[in-house]
Every structure is written in C-alpha cells, then in structure tokens.
Amino acid sequence: GHNILERLDAGEVVIGDGGFVFALEKRGYVKAGPWTPEAAAEYPEAVRQLHREYLRAGSDVMQTFTFYGSDDKLENRGNNQRFSGRQINEAACDLAREVANEGNAMVAGGVSQTPSYLSCKSENEVKAIFKKQLDVFVQKNVDFLIAEYFEYVEEAEWAVQVLRTAKKPVAATLCIGPEGDLNGVSPGECAARLVRAGAQIVGVNSHFDPMTCVKTVKMMKEGVQKAGLKAHYMTQPLAYHTPDCNRQGFIDLPEFPFSLEPRILTRWDMQKYAREAYNAGIRYIGGCCGFEPYHIRALAEELAPERGFLPPASEKHGNWGSSLEMHTKPWVRARARRDYWEKLMPASGRPYCPSMSNPDGWGVTKGHADLMQQKEPTSQEQLRALFAKAKANQ
C-alpha cells in the first residue's frame, strides 16, 4: 500500500532513496552552492532517470526533488531562475509520481530549512514559506510529507506544524549528530519536541556518516520513550565517512563539497549500515548526499532476508561478489566471496594525504550577522572579507 504508517506499523522495512542534489550535481544538472532543484523543470529527463535508478535499486519512496525548493532559497544570493518556485515544485511532484507508478513506490513531498529562518524572520513568515510548498504537495496528492535537513529543531517544529495540517503522515529529520542541534538541544529532546509537534516518524538525515546517524537516532529513540511518546524512526545519512566532524557536520570539513570522494562508503560499508540501523529498531532506512543507486541496492540486498525479496537491480549483482566467478582472471575469481570483501581494508591510494581532517569551527549560529541572507549576489567586498577570515582561522 501507499500508506507509510501502515507499512511501518506492520514492521516492514521501508528503503529510502539517495540524495538528489549531490547526485545531480555530479551529473551536471545542479549547481553546488545554492544546491537548488530547478532541474525538475529545466532537465526533467535527468531527474526522472535518477528516480528510475533508485526505484530499480530498491527504493520504496520517491522523494519529490524539492530540496531547497522554497521561494526564498530559490532566489537567494543572486540565483536567478527561469521557472517559478511553483513550477519547480509541481514538476518535481509529477516526476516522482510518474516513476513511483512504474513500481510500487510511495511519493514523499519534502521541505527543508530556509534562509528566512536563518535571517531571523518571524514564525509566521517562515511558516508561510512552507505552506506554499505544502499547497503544491496537497494539490499533487503526495502520499506523505517529510521535513528534512534542519539544523535547528525550532524551525523543524514550525515545518511539522504546517505539514500536519494536510492530514497526511509526517516525517521529520534533523541534520544533527550526537551533540544535538546548533543551539545544543540534545537529540532526545529534539525528537520528543518533533513528535509533540505532530511528526509520526523522526530521525536524522545528511551531515554525518551512517554509523554516527544510527547512534544519533538511538539517542532520539531513548528521548521519545523517556517522554512517554511513540514514533517510528528513520535514517538518511551521508555516503561519506565523517569520524572527524564536529557538531556542524560535513559542511565544516575542508573537503566539502568538491573533494569528498576519498570518503565515500563502499557497497559493503552500506550493508553494515543497513544491518546496524535495523538492529537499532530503525525501519525507514535510506540515504542522503553522496548516495548513488548502488548504495541503495546494498541496503535492499542486506535486508532481503527480512523483506523476502531482492530489488530488480540485483539481477546484475551477485551476493557478496559472487558474480566475479565469471571473471576471466583467476585471482579476481578468487574474490567471489563474502569473507574477502567484508574483511578488506580499502586503501585510498593517496600516500601524502591524511586519513582525517581538521574541520572549520567558525562558531557562527543563527542571529550572527554573517548568517543574514540576501536576494542580491554576494559582493566582491563580502567575499574578500570571508577569504581574510578563512586565512585567519587556518
């Protein structure tokens, strides 16, 4: 069925999809920096194809490509659009539904944090922005709603309060780690607040690697239970290893966003994540930035025994490398086994590079002048000041 709460109540595993802005940026359809989803209207064939690849890999959810799709974000800092926010959101809904109908997938309409909140606009102003996106999701009849990628629990609560008015299931994920949101609200307290605001599914997405996200959601689960509340749990982590991150997550890493490749998880790392998440009681298991379809396939393959089936894409993939039995070279055929891939310590091939970095720690949070957003482009003068500050912080 298309009711996510019925599926979760029945104990089913729901496999999410991967992060569209990062995947489409690598394919040449999204601009890094603004990370906005105008490709839904500009290059629908690219968005449709990515949906199809995730569906084939085992995704049960097609998320509308509406991340950072609020009007204020679409036109922030001189990001001129050929399409209106409404056109972009409508196109995204149509593409997600079209591909969901090719399989047995649900469509989720998503909203994310806004420049308006960061610029200290009022609760009513911020909620009006979410309402504009919600109006499209209701008109297009998505199956459920997700408030995702929030650094501050307060803004996420506002989003949930708006989304719940549509009388559809609501999920809420914060981009936080074990240290909590950027104001220091603990994961447990954040989760309890989101459930009280009306979210039936809570968890985390982005900013941290899978194992960190599972750890954070375990803390959320404890907080919800301690408050005497009930919820379902979800994780949509990065596909990057981030053991060196601070509270702000991977955007503070010096490699963000153009040199993260050495940190990418392998498909075998993903199987381990799927198992850890499942063992922690998390039943909505997906991905965010850095995920590609083969990563989602790994989640579906790891949980195939519980789910009772494999995704279509497994027709081109043997269990734990078994397809290598068909390789021409005998030493590669010798790798067609689980204990080989499970125990391998993959090298990065970068002898002069460290295995860990020192994240930036500018310590800037909402209310600081540096975080005020603007419609006009960032000026050369503003950039010079930032370059000087970065040098001073090195």
Side-chain angles (χ1 to χ4, degrees):
H2 284 316
N3 188 325
I4 187 158
L5 295 179
E6 280 172 21
R7 286 197 191 187
L8 292 170
D9 286 339
E12 284 182 43
V13 172
V14 171
I15 302 284
D17 58 6
F20 270 59
V21 285
F22 262 57
L24 287 166
E25 193 276 333
K26 287 180 177 61
R27 288 159 173 75
Y29 298 102
V30 162
K31 187 180 279 186
W35 302 111
T36 45
E38 58 274 8
E42 280 180 344
Y43 299 106
E45 69 288 350
V47 177
R48 184 186 293 113
Q49 176 63 16
L50 188 56
H51 277 306
R52 277 192 181 136
E53 289 177 20
Y54 283 126
L55 183 73
R56 178 174 164 78
S59 294
D60 295 309
V61 178
M62 299 287 105
Q63 281 188 238
T64 57
F65 185 38
T66 52
F67 177 82
Y68 274 166
S70 61
D71 283 351
D72 62 336
K73 183 67 176 96
L74 287 167
E75 54 191 32
N76 196 41
R77 295 193 176 273
N79 192 20
N80 297 321
Q81 299 292 351
R82 289 201 322 230
F83 297 90
S84 70
R86 185 168 193 95
Q87 285 174 308
I88 292 166
N89 280 269
E90 286 179 354
C93 290
D94 290 342
L95 290 166
R97 178 61 74 194
E98 178 191 343
V99 178
N101 287 346
E102 293 172 7
N104 184 31
M106 297 170 279
V107 173
V111 300
S112 31
Q113 64 183 11
T114 64
S116 293
Y117 180 80
L118 212 47
S119 298
C120 302
K121 295 269 177 72
S122 73
E123 178 177 347
N124 286 341
E125 286 173 292
V126 174
K127 282 183 167 177
I129 287 164
F130 295 135
K131 179 73 167 67
K132 268 185 152 174
Q133 281 188 281
L134 178 61
D135 288 343
V136 176
F137 299 149
V138 169
Q139 177 207 327
K140 295 291 185 180
N141 199 25
V142 302
D143 298 309
F144 69 101
L145 301 156
I146 307 179
E148 67 171 355
Y149 199 79
F150 286 87
E151 294 170 308
Y152 299 91
V153 67
E154 178 184 57
E155 189 184 11
E157 285 175 294
W158 294 353
V160 168
Q161 285 161 359
V162 172
L163 296 181
R164 65 180 287 192
T165 63
K167 306 282 188 276
K168 292 178 184 285
V170 176
T173 55
L174 304 173
C175 46
I176 66 170
E179 292 180 54
D181 87 346
L182 292 193
N183 283 334
V185 182
S186 73
E189 175 61 20
C190 283
R193 282 173 61 172
L194 292 172
V195 174
R196 285 192 199 103
Q200 293 107 335
I201 308 164
V202 293
V204 293
N205 80 294
S206 195
H207 276 213
F208 297 89
D209 61 37
M211 292 316 180
T212 307
C213 287
V214 169
K215 180 181 168 185
T216 308
V217 174
K218 279 183 181 169
M219 296 167 74
M220 288 184 147
K221 196 175 169 187
E222 281 168 25
V224 170
Q225 287 169 342
K226 211 165 77 184
L229 302 165
K230 273 177 70 163
H232 293 291
Y233 300 93
M234 69 186 280
T235 41
Q236 300 221 81
L238 300 176
Y240 303 108
H241 293 286
T242 61
D244 39 356
C245 273
N246 58 24
R247 168 175 301 183
Q248 177 78 74
F250 84 139
I251 59 173
D252 275 19
L253 291 175
E255 300 90 349
F256 175 86
F258 298 129
S259 297
L260 289 162
E261 282 82 353
R263 295 174 177 265
I264 294 176
L265 273 77
T266 66
R267 63 194 69 196
W268 317 119
D269 293 330
M270 287 296 177
Q271 291 205 203
K272 196 173 160 198
Y273 149 55
R275 185 54 56 198
E276 289 284 317
Y278 186 86
N279 289 344
I282 298 163
R283 289 296 176 269
Y284 185 147
I285 303 170
C288 202
C289 312
F291 267 71
E292 291 287 335
Y294 75 97
H295 290 125
I296 293 294
R297 178 177 64 187
L299 306 183
E301 288 187 343
E302 174 63 32
L303 296 170
E306 283 75 16
R307 308 179 82 214
F309 62 93
L310 285 164
S314 292
E315 69 174 356
K316 298 294 187 188
H317 193 239
N319 194 24
W320 286 97
S322 63
S323 59
L324 297 179
E325 291 162 9
M326 301 163 101
H327 202 279
T328 54
K329 307 286 190 285
W331 58 92
V332 178
R333 289 198 295 275
R335 297 173 193 159
R337 56 198 157 93
R338 177 173 183 157
D339 66 333
Y340 176 85
W341 292 111
E342 210 164 21
K343 292 183 181 139
L344 184 73
M345 305 280 274
S348 71
R350 296 173 180 270
Y352 302 108
C353 290
S355 62
M356 306 256 268
S357 291
N358 291 316
D360 282 332
W362 285 26
V364 178
T365 50
K366 178 183 180 251
H368 191 290
D370 283 0
L371 285 180
M372 294 306 279
Q373 300 302 311
Q374 60 193 47
K375 199 166 168 177
E376 54 284 352
T378 309
S379 68
Q380 289 306 305
E381 199 179 344
Q382 287 173 323
L383 283 173
R384 274 196 297 275
L386 292 176
F387 297 154
K389 189 167 180 176
K391 282 206 177 88
N393 276 330
Q394 263 170 7

